[in-house]
Amino acid sequence: MTLDLTLTKRSFLTLAAPLLLAAVLSPDAQAQAATSVRLGFFPNLTHAPALVGLQRGTFQKAFGAAKLDAKEFVSGTTLTEAFAAGQIDIAYIGPGPAINAAGRGMPVQFIAGASEAGAVLVARKDSTIKSYKDLGGKNVAVPSLGNTQDISLRHILNENALKSKTDGGTVLITPIAPADIVAAFAAKRVDATLVPEPWGAVLEAQGHRIIGNEKTVWRGGNYPTTVVIVNTKFAQANPQLVAAFLKAHTEAVAFLTKSPAAAQAAVNAQLFKLTGAKVDPRVMQRAFARTRFTTALDLEALKEYSALNVEAGYARTAPDLSQFLKK
């Protein structure tokens, strides 16, 4: 199923008022001591700190008596809506939706980085696509409209003198959840996809072609793919829980970088629980090699991403992100 992106973009830009109102009025968003921590994340390798933290019990151990309530999402768009409605306290999310949330006045604070690079552009093996320029007239999937990969794809199209159909060009952009992209390729529903790992490596193992690796997608691979945000009111009311989360997040990132074999097994086990898909260990290893894990936030990269967000038409202006970063 495809979406009318013109309408979707208009809806995206006019969504600010009701979402912000929900964030302000929701009783869950009011400052109060929490007995639970509601954590949002996606079932992708780029959210691996969340996956290993859940698999190893790192977060719950850090929170002590406060209960961990982890919620899985398929896209930054749906997670942002839950965040605005006061249903999520802390979230792993792509920089695109996070920047949009900040630009719309949601009570959001960037508190850590999580992953960099880790997304590839894959063409179906029986398609004629060999390079970015061949995407003209094709159907290309992204996890969701307005998400990090969608914004990156629109920049790639712009650099190659191409446009999406709804912007007057020939490229049809179709939102498909990453865990469903393998089935979409098998059914020939799309010709290509810009998708986070490990789903790119899974497609590659099936013989599909990578036409843009993690380094050619943007900025030589030096860009954030996942960051961590917190509701500012939750952070003000629960500084100990936020500190405990950051400690657990740092431990998860250290585990990913210092014990890659064990980390790959933990990620695989958690992905199987969430999606029912078990990734071949050699494929997971390849996906890991294209993804970096970090706790650092690159403000300059986020600023450039914010400009791409405006270029893509998902925001009218770029917010001053420095005021949203954890001091």
Side-chain angles (χ1 to χ4, degrees), residues 52-235:
V52 301
L54 294 171
Q55 181 67 18
R56 304 181 80 213
T58 311
F59 297 127
Q60 184 58 76
K61 182 180 178 181
F63 293 149
K67 180 184 176 184
L68 170 66
D69 182 9
K71 299 177 185 293
E72 173 196 355
F73 292 84
V74 298
S75 74
T77 305
T78 55
L79 196 158
T80 301
E81 290 171 358
F83 192 89
Q87 298 169 355
I88 295 295
D89 304 311
I90 302 175
Y92 288 85
I93 191 170
I99 290 168
N100 277 319
R104 291 180 177 132
M106 293 184 200
V108 57
Q109 187 179 33
F110 293 61
I111 59 173
S115 69
E116 297 178 341
V120 292
L121 212 164
V122 187
R124 219 178 62 224
K125 57 187 174 186
D126 59 345
S127 76
T128 57
I129 303 171
K130 300 290 193 300
S131 69
Y132 290 155
K133 292 186 180 298
D134 298 328
L135 293 174
K138 304 300 183 183
N139 186 353
V140 185
V142 295
S144 69
L145 299 180
N147 91 317
T148 301
Q149 282 74 47
D150 179 30
I151 295 167
S152 298
L153 174 63
R154 290 171 193 276
H155 181 61
I156 288 171
L157 297 181
N158 188 48
E159 286 195 321
N160 288 273
L162 294 169
K163 293 181 180 178
S164 70
K165 280 194 172 182
T166 49
D167 288 330
T170 62
V171 182
L172 178 62
I173 298 178
T174 302
I176 296 178
D180 295 333
I181 195 63
V182 174
F185 263 50
K188 299 185 179 182
R189 289 173 50 203
V190 293
D191 303 298
T193 182
L194 180 51
V195 67
E197 297 288 9
W199 312 113
V202 170
L203 291 173
E204 183 183 24
Q206 294 179 348
H208 302 294
R209 289 189 300 276
I210 289 186
I211 62 169
N213 64 29
E214 77 284 3
K215 295 180 181 177
T216 62
V217 166
W218 183 53
R219 220 170 178 261
N222 298 311
Y223 57 89
T225 306
T226 304
V227 298
V228 183
I229 60 174
V230 63
N231 183 300
T232 52
K233 294 179 181 177
F234 177 87

